[in-house]
Short mmCIF file of all heavy atoms in Angstrom, two decimals:
data_model
loop_
_atom_site.label_atom_id
_atom_site.label_comp_id
_atom_site.label_asym_id
_atom_site.label_seq_id
_atom_site.Cartn_x
_atom_site.Cartn_y
_atom_site.Cartn_z
N MET A 60 -26.99 -2.68 -1.15
CA MET A 60 -26.03 -1.94 -1.92
C MET A 60 -26.17 -2.32 -3.42
O MET A 60 -26.40 -3.47 -3.73
CB MET A 60 -24.58 -2.25 -1.46
CG MET A 60 -24.27 -1.72 -0.08
SD MET A 60 -22.62 -2.12 0.49
CE MET A 60 -21.65 -1.06 -0.56
N SER A 61 -25.97 -1.36 -4.22
CA SER A 61 -26.07 -1.64 -5.67
C SER A 61 -24.77 -2.24 -6.19
O SER A 61 -23.73 -2.23 -5.52
CB SER A 61 -26.37 -0.28 -6.43
OG SER A 61 -25.26 0.58 -6.28
N THR A 62 -24.83 -2.75 -7.37
CA THR A 62 -23.67 -3.40 -7.97
C THR A 62 -22.50 -2.40 -8.17
O THR A 62 -21.35 -2.75 -7.89
CB THR A 62 -24.05 -4.07 -9.30
OG1 THR A 62 -25.15 -4.91 -9.10
CG2 THR A 62 -22.85 -4.79 -9.89
N SER A 63 -22.86 -1.21 -8.61
CA SER A 63 -21.75 -0.22 -8.85
C SER A 63 -21.13 0.15 -7.54
O SER A 63 -19.89 0.43 -7.47
CB SER A 63 -22.31 1.01 -9.57
OG SER A 63 -23.31 1.64 -8.80
N ALA A 64 -21.85 0.24 -6.42
CA ALA A 64 -21.29 0.59 -5.13
C ALA A 64 -20.34 -0.52 -4.68
O ALA A 64 -19.29 -0.23 -4.12
CB ALA A 64 -22.41 0.83 -4.13
N ILE A 65 -20.71 -1.76 -4.86
CA ILE A 65 -19.87 -2.87 -4.50
C ILE A 65 -18.56 -2.89 -5.26
O ILE A 65 -17.50 -3.13 -4.74
CB ILE A 65 -20.62 -4.19 -4.58
CG1 ILE A 65 -21.79 -4.22 -3.56
CG2 ILE A 65 -19.72 -5.39 -4.38
CD1 ILE A 65 -22.71 -5.40 -3.70
N ILE A 66 -18.69 -2.62 -6.58
CA ILE A 66 -17.52 -2.63 -7.44
C ILE A 66 -16.56 -1.49 -6.97
O ILE A 66 -15.33 -1.68 -6.89
CB ILE A 66 -17.92 -2.45 -8.91
CG1 ILE A 66 -18.62 -3.73 -9.40
CG2 ILE A 66 -16.71 -2.11 -9.76
CD1 ILE A 66 -19.22 -3.63 -10.76
N MET A 67 -17.08 -0.30 -6.71
CA MET A 67 -16.26 0.81 -6.26
C MET A 67 -15.62 0.53 -4.89
O MET A 67 -14.51 0.89 -4.64
CB MET A 67 -17.08 2.13 -6.19
CG MET A 67 -17.46 2.67 -7.55
SD MET A 67 -16.03 2.99 -8.59
CE MET A 67 -15.21 4.23 -7.64
N LEU A 68 -16.33 -0.18 -4.01
CA LEU A 68 -15.81 -0.57 -2.74
C LEU A 68 -14.61 -1.55 -2.91
O LEU A 68 -13.58 -1.34 -2.28
CB LEU A 68 -16.89 -1.25 -1.88
CG LEU A 68 -16.46 -1.78 -0.52
CD1 LEU A 68 -16.12 -0.65 0.42
CD2 LEU A 68 -17.58 -2.62 0.06
N VAL A 69 -14.73 -2.50 -3.78
CA VAL A 69 -13.67 -3.44 -4.00
C VAL A 69 -12.48 -2.73 -4.67
O VAL A 69 -11.32 -3.00 -4.27
CB VAL A 69 -14.16 -4.60 -4.92
CG1 VAL A 69 -12.99 -5.45 -5.42
CG2 VAL A 69 -15.20 -5.43 -4.15
N VAL A 70 -12.73 -1.85 -5.57
CA VAL A 70 -11.63 -1.11 -6.23
C VAL A 70 -10.92 -0.23 -5.22
O VAL A 70 -9.65 -0.22 -5.17
CB VAL A 70 -12.15 -0.25 -7.41
CG1 VAL A 70 -11.10 0.74 -7.88
CG2 VAL A 70 -12.62 -1.12 -8.54
N SER A 71 -11.63 0.48 -4.37
CA SER A 71 -10.97 1.33 -3.40
C SER A 71 -10.19 0.52 -2.37
O SER A 71 -9.10 0.90 -1.97
CB SER A 71 -11.98 2.22 -2.73
OG SER A 71 -12.94 1.44 -2.02
N ILE A 72 -10.73 -0.62 -1.88
CA ILE A 72 -10.02 -1.44 -0.96
C ILE A 72 -8.72 -1.99 -1.59
O ILE A 72 -7.69 -2.05 -0.95
CB ILE A 72 -10.94 -2.57 -0.42
CG1 ILE A 72 -11.98 -1.99 0.51
CG2 ILE A 72 -10.12 -3.65 0.27
CD1 ILE A 72 -13.02 -3.01 0.97
N THR A 73 -8.84 -2.38 -2.82
CA THR A 73 -7.66 -2.91 -3.54
C THR A 73 -6.58 -1.86 -3.68
O THR A 73 -5.40 -2.13 -3.51
CB THR A 73 -8.07 -3.41 -4.91
OG1 THR A 73 -9.08 -4.42 -4.78
CG2 THR A 73 -6.91 -4.02 -5.70
N LEU A 74 -6.99 -0.62 -3.99
CA LEU A 74 -6.01 0.49 -4.12
C LEU A 74 -5.34 0.75 -2.77
O LEU A 74 -4.10 0.95 -2.76
CB LEU A 74 -6.71 1.72 -4.63
CG LEU A 74 -7.03 1.76 -6.11
CD1 LEU A 74 -7.81 2.98 -6.49
CD2 LEU A 74 -5.74 1.67 -6.96
N VAL A 75 -6.10 0.80 -1.71
CA VAL A 75 -5.52 1.12 -0.39
C VAL A 75 -4.55 0.02 0.02
O VAL A 75 -3.38 0.31 0.42
CB VAL A 75 -6.62 1.38 0.63
CG1 VAL A 75 -6.04 1.44 2.03
CG2 VAL A 75 -7.37 2.63 0.32
N TRP A 76 -5.02 -1.24 0.05
CA TRP A 76 -4.19 -2.33 0.55
C TRP A 76 -3.05 -2.61 -0.44
O TRP A 76 -1.96 -3.03 -0.03
CB TRP A 76 -5.02 -3.59 0.79
CG TRP A 76 -5.86 -3.42 2.02
CD1 TRP A 76 -7.15 -3.18 2.11
CD2 TRP A 76 -5.41 -3.45 3.37
NE1 TRP A 76 -7.55 -3.03 3.41
CE2 TRP A 76 -6.47 -3.24 4.19
CE3 TRP A 76 -4.14 -3.63 3.97
CZ2 TRP A 76 -6.38 -3.21 5.57
CZ3 TRP A 76 -4.02 -3.61 5.33
CH2 TRP A 76 -5.15 -3.42 6.14
N GLY A 77 -3.28 -2.43 -1.75
CA GLY A 77 -2.20 -2.60 -2.75
C GLY A 77 -1.12 -1.55 -2.54
O GLY A 77 0.06 -1.87 -2.63
N GLY A 78 -1.54 -0.33 -2.25
CA GLY A 78 -0.53 0.73 -2.01
C GLY A 78 0.26 0.48 -0.76
O GLY A 78 1.46 0.70 -0.69
N LEU A 79 -0.41 -0.02 0.23
CA LEU A 79 0.29 -0.39 1.48
C LEU A 79 1.28 -1.53 1.26
O LEU A 79 2.43 -1.43 1.73
CB LEU A 79 -0.70 -0.80 2.56
CG LEU A 79 -0.16 -1.26 3.92
CD1 LEU A 79 0.58 -0.06 4.57
CD2 LEU A 79 -1.25 -1.79 4.80
N ALA A 80 0.88 -2.52 0.50
CA ALA A 80 1.77 -3.65 0.23
C ALA A 80 2.96 -3.22 -0.62
O ALA A 80 4.12 -3.63 -0.41
CB ALA A 80 0.99 -4.76 -0.49
N ALA A 81 2.70 -2.33 -1.60
CA ALA A 81 3.78 -1.78 -2.43
C ALA A 81 4.79 -0.95 -1.58
O ALA A 81 6.00 -1.05 -1.82
CB ALA A 81 3.25 -0.94 -3.59
N ALA A 82 4.27 -0.19 -0.66
CA ALA A 82 5.16 0.62 0.22
C ALA A 82 5.99 -0.26 1.11
O ALA A 82 7.22 -0.03 1.29
CB ALA A 82 4.35 1.60 1.03
N MET A 83 5.39 -1.32 1.65
CA MET A 83 6.12 -2.23 2.50
C MET A 83 7.21 -2.95 1.68
O MET A 83 8.35 -3.18 2.16
CB MET A 83 5.21 -3.21 3.17
CG MET A 83 4.32 -2.60 4.23
SD MET A 83 3.06 -3.69 4.93
CE MET A 83 4.07 -4.98 5.51
N LEU A 84 6.85 -3.40 0.51
CA LEU A 84 7.82 -4.06 -0.37
C LEU A 84 8.96 -3.16 -0.72
O LEU A 84 10.15 -3.56 -0.75
CB LEU A 84 7.10 -4.58 -1.65
CG LEU A 84 7.91 -5.43 -2.57
CD1 LEU A 84 8.34 -6.72 -1.89
CD2 LEU A 84 7.13 -5.77 -3.83
N HIS A 85 8.68 -1.85 -1.04
CA HIS A 85 9.73 -0.94 -1.37
C HIS A 85 10.62 -0.71 -0.18
O HIS A 85 11.87 -0.60 -0.31
CB HIS A 85 9.09 0.38 -1.86
CG HIS A 85 10.08 1.42 -2.28
ND1 HIS A 85 10.69 2.29 -1.42
CD2 HIS A 85 10.63 1.65 -3.50
CE1 HIS A 85 11.53 3.06 -2.07
NE2 HIS A 85 11.53 2.66 -3.35
N LEU A 86 10.07 -0.57 0.99
CA LEU A 86 10.91 -0.38 2.18
C LEU A 86 11.74 -1.58 2.53
O LEU A 86 12.85 -1.50 3.03
CB LEU A 86 10.04 0.03 3.40
CG LEU A 86 9.65 1.48 3.49
CD1 LEU A 86 8.69 1.68 4.63
CD2 LEU A 86 10.86 2.36 3.64
N HIS A 87 11.20 -2.77 2.19
CA HIS A 87 11.94 -3.98 2.46
C HIS A 87 13.15 -4.10 1.54
O HIS A 87 14.25 -4.51 1.89
CB HIS A 87 11.03 -5.17 2.33
CG HIS A 87 11.72 -6.49 2.62
ND1 HIS A 87 12.13 -6.82 3.87
CD2 HIS A 87 12.05 -7.51 1.78
CE1 HIS A 87 12.72 -8.03 3.81
NE2 HIS A 87 12.67 -8.47 2.56
N ARG A 88 12.95 -3.68 0.27
CA ARG A 88 14.03 -3.73 -0.70
C ARG A 88 15.06 -2.62 -0.54
O ARG A 88 16.23 -2.80 -0.83
CB ARG A 88 13.47 -3.71 -2.10
CG ARG A 88 12.75 -4.96 -2.48
CD ARG A 88 12.29 -4.90 -3.95
NE ARG A 88 11.66 -6.17 -4.34
CZ ARG A 88 11.00 -6.33 -5.49
NH1 ARG A 88 10.97 -5.35 -6.37
NH2 ARG A 88 10.48 -7.47 -5.79
N HIS A 89 14.60 -1.45 -0.11
CA HIS A 89 15.46 -0.26 0.06
C HIS A 89 15.27 0.28 1.46
O HIS A 89 14.55 1.31 1.62
CB HIS A 89 15.09 0.80 -1.00
CG HIS A 89 15.08 0.31 -2.36
ND1 HIS A 89 16.25 0.06 -3.10
CD2 HIS A 89 14.09 0.00 -3.20
CE1 HIS A 89 15.92 -0.38 -4.30
NE2 HIS A 89 14.61 -0.43 -4.40
N PRO A 90 15.88 -0.30 2.48
CA PRO A 90 15.66 0.19 3.85
C PRO A 90 16.27 1.55 4.05
O PRO A 90 17.27 1.92 3.39
CB PRO A 90 16.37 -0.86 4.70
CG PRO A 90 17.34 -1.54 3.80
CD PRO A 90 16.77 -1.45 2.42
N GLU A 91 15.66 2.32 4.89
CA GLU A 91 16.19 3.68 5.19
C GLU A 91 17.37 3.54 6.09
O GLU A 91 17.38 2.76 7.04
CB GLU A 91 15.10 4.49 5.86
CG GLU A 91 13.95 4.78 5.00
CD GLU A 91 12.90 5.68 5.73
OE1 GLU A 91 13.08 5.99 6.90
OE2 GLU A 91 11.90 5.96 5.08
N THR A 92 18.40 4.36 5.84
CA THR A 92 19.57 4.30 6.69
C THR A 92 19.39 5.36 7.76
O THR A 92 18.95 6.48 7.48
CB THR A 92 20.83 4.60 5.87
OG1 THR A 92 20.69 5.88 5.21
CG2 THR A 92 21.11 3.54 4.84
N PRO A 93 19.68 5.05 9.03
CA PRO A 93 19.50 6.01 10.08
C PRO A 93 20.57 7.17 9.99
O PRO A 93 21.68 6.91 9.60
CB PRO A 93 19.68 5.22 11.38
CG PRO A 93 20.51 4.03 10.96
CD PRO A 93 20.13 3.76 9.51
N ASP A 94 20.12 8.35 10.29
CA ASP A 94 21.02 9.52 10.26
C ASP A 94 21.81 9.49 11.57
O ASP A 94 21.23 9.64 12.67
CB ASP A 94 20.23 10.84 10.13
CG ASP A 94 19.55 10.92 8.81
OD1 ASP A 94 20.04 10.27 7.78
OD2 ASP A 94 18.52 11.54 8.71
N THR A 95 23.12 9.43 11.46
CA THR A 95 23.95 9.43 12.66
C THR A 95 24.77 10.76 12.65
O THR A 95 25.33 11.14 11.65
CB THR A 95 24.91 8.26 12.71
OG1 THR A 95 25.71 8.24 11.54
CG2 THR A 95 24.12 6.95 12.83
N GLU A 96 24.76 11.41 13.77
CA GLU A 96 25.50 12.65 13.88
C GLU A 96 26.47 12.60 15.04
O GLU A 96 26.26 11.99 15.99
CB GLU A 96 24.57 13.81 14.10
CG GLU A 96 23.72 14.08 12.91
CD GLU A 96 22.92 15.36 13.10
OE1 GLU A 96 23.26 16.17 13.93
OE2 GLU A 96 21.92 15.52 12.37
#
């Protein structure tokens, strides 16, 4: 693999896992309330 491909791989992995971590952190700070009817 070329250097640019490795850099793009690292950037894309960071974006995916960083987004997942940010979503989990947001849900932990602001939990969803269940809809009760």
Side-chain angles (χ1 to χ4, degrees):
M60 292 177 71
S61 64
T62 305
S63 61
I65 293 173
I66 291 172
M67 288 303 296
L68 177 68
V69 170
V70 167
S71 62
I72 288 173
T73 303
L74 285 174
V75 169
W76 287 105
L79 179 64
M83 289 174 58
L84 186 63
H85 183 272
L86 277 175
H87 182 69
R88 288 185 178 172
H89 308 283
E91 295 181 358
T92 56
D94 295 331
T95 56
E96 292 187 19

